[in-house]
């Protein structure tokens, strides 16, 4: 019986490792191989040209705009859902999964129908001198839509498990709302918040489908890194495409590393508290 269990265990482990190697590891290695195939100098040139730099800067700028908004909205929504009972709470919680359920292309189309020239609000906004679609604002909006649940979903389990007894005690002792958040709540949720910020940043930098619909693919203006990779590949500029794709892959690896570090720090903190 022991030999059978051992055989089953190693079969499952081998299957998992084989799947990991073929589906995940091999494509990742291939991207870096082709990005560096013709030398590091050509790689640097590929990510240093004006169009690539514009795409990289736009992706960073969108992330810098989206992340603070996500943090504020995420903390407020997580606080509301975790600490209060109200009618419609189940519906609100379910709606958090909506951005994960809708195809990013459909998300882009929804905002195109809303803010486009022939959309419900697009013509009026253009008359007011404010262009949303085929400009940076539309990229920010769709990125917000697909990323905002990540911080909320990271915070809710932590805040629910820890409860609000410490906040209640601080209120009784006369703490202000600002002091309550900075001195009591934030230290409790900081690791979950950092975890959510990391996930949100990675998704913001790598979003393709929704951004592709609303950006207009204007070179040097509305192309993010994923859009630049697609355009470069379609125009047979393979080194440029793989070079920028490798930057996104590095971001994914960096994100994974930070996730594991944060998980290790959380476990270490729990062990010290026991």
């Amino acid at each position: 019986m022991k030999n059978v269990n051992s055989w089953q265990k190693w079969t499952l482990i081998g299957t998992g490792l084989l799947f990991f190697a073929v589906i995940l590891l091999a494509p990742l290695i291939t991207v870096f191989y082709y990005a560096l195939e013709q030398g590091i100098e050509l790689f640097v040139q590929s990510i240093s040209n004006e169009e690539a730099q514009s795409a990289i800067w736009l992706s960073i700028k969108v992330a810098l705009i989206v992340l603070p908004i996500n943090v504020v909205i995420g903390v407020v929504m997580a606080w509301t859902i975790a600490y209060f009972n109200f009618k419609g709470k189940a519906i609100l919680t379910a709606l958090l999964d909506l951005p994960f359920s809708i195809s990013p292309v459909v998300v882009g189309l929804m905002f195109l129908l809303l803010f486009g020239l022939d959309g419900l609000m697009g013509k009026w906004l253009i008359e007011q001198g404010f262009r949303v679609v085929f400009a940076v604002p539309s990229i920010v909006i769709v990125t917000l839509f697909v990323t905002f649940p990540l911080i909320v979903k990271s915070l809710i389990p932590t805040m629910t498990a820890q409860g609000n007894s410490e906040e209640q005690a601080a209120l009784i002792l006369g703490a202000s709302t600002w002091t309550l958040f900075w001195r009591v709540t934030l230290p409790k949720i900081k690791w979950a918040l950092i975890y959510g910020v990391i996930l949100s940043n990675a998704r913001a930098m790598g979003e393709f489908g929704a951004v592709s619909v609303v950006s207009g693919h204007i070179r040097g203006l509305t192309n993010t890194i994923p859009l630049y990779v697609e355009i470069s590949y379609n125009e047979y500029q393979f080194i440029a495409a793989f070079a920028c794709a490798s930057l996104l892959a590095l971001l994914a690896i960096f994100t994974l590393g930070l996730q594991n570090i944060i998980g290790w720090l959380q476990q270490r903190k729990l062990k010290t508290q026991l």
Side-chain angles (χ1 to χ4, degrees):
M1 185 67 180
K2 185 177 180 180
N3 291 334
V4 173
N5 290 335
S6 178
W7 176 83
Q8 290 175 339
K9 179 182 74 173
W10 288 109
T11 299
L12 292 173
I13 292 173
T15 302
L17 291 175
L18 180 63
F19 178 86
F20 175 81
V22 173
I23 302 300
L24 300 177
L25 194 59
L28 190 63
I29 293 173
T30 302
V31 168
F32 288 107
Y33 172 78
Y34 281 108
L36 299 169
E37 184 182 20
Q38 298 187 25
I40 189 69
E41 290 186 8
L42 192 57
F43 173 87
V44 173
Q45 290 176 6
S46 297
I47 62 175
S48 300
N49 70 68
E50 186 176 350
E51 194 173 339
Q53 287 291 306
S54 175
I56 293 170
W57 168 238
L58 179 58
S59 294
I60 294 173
K61 182 167 67 173
V62 170
L64 289 175
I65 295 172
V66 165
L67 284 178
I69 299 173
N70 276 341
V71 168
V72 174
I73 294 175
V75 171
V76 170
M77 291 191 67
W79 189 314
T80 302
I81 293 172
Y83 291 163
F84 299 101
N85 291 316
F86 53 91
K87 291 183 179 180
K89 179 178 177 178
I91 297 175
L92 180 60
T93 305
L95 287 175
L96 290 175
D97 292 323
L98 191 62
F100 301 138
S101 305
I102 301 177
S103 167
V105 175
V106 177
V107 172
L109 182 60
M110 291 190 306
F111 285 101
L112 187 65
L113 294 174
L114 184 61
F115 296 116
L117 181 59
D118 297 323
L120 295 176
M121 300 176 60
K123 187 176 181 180
W124 180 83
L125 288 170
I126 292 174
E127 289 175 352
Q128 306 306 311
F130 189 70
R131 187 179 186 87
V132 177
V133 174
F134 304 150
V136 175
S138 63
I139 299 175
V140 172
I141 291 170
V142 298
T143 305
L144 273 172
F145 184 91
V146 300
T147 58
F148 86 87
L150 293 170
I151 292 180
V152 184
K153 301 286 276 187
S154 298
L155 290 175
I156 288 176
T158 299
M159 297 177 79
T160 303
Q162 293 179 346
N164 63 348
S165 57
E166 294 179 20
E167 282 84 355
Q168 294 290 343
L171 285 174
I172 293 172
L173 292 173
S176 65
T177 304
W178 192 251
T179 302
L180 178 68
F181 175 74
W182 283 104
R183 298 293 181 88
V184 180
T185 302
L186 187 59
K188 290 167 56 178
I189 65 170
K190 63 179 180 180
W191 292 117
L193 181 60
I194 293 172
Y195 184 83
V197 167
I198 292 169
L199 289 179
S200 182
N201 178 67
R203 180 68 190 275
M205 294 282 287
E207 176 55 34
F208 174 80
V211 173
S212 179
V213 175
V214 301
S215 69
H217 296 269
I218 304 173
R219 292 177 180 271
L221 293 176
T222 63
N223 277 338
T224 58
I225 297 176
L227 300 186
Y228 176 74
V229 170
E230 182 201 29
I231 291 173
S232 299
Y233 188 84
N234 289 338
E235 293 179 349
Y236 305 103
Q237 299 176 20
F238 297 124
I239 299 300
F242 288 126
C244 284
S246 68
L247 295 180
L248 292 176
L250 282 173
L251 176 64
I253 294 171
F254 179 71
T255 301
L256 183 63
L258 283 179
Q259 286 177 327
N260 283 277
I261 292 172
I262 290 172
W264 176 78
L265 289 172
Q266 286 180 310
Q267 290 180 354
R268 184 179 178 184
K269 183 179 178 181
L270 287 173
K271 288 180 180 179
T272 57
Q273 290 176 346
L274 295 176

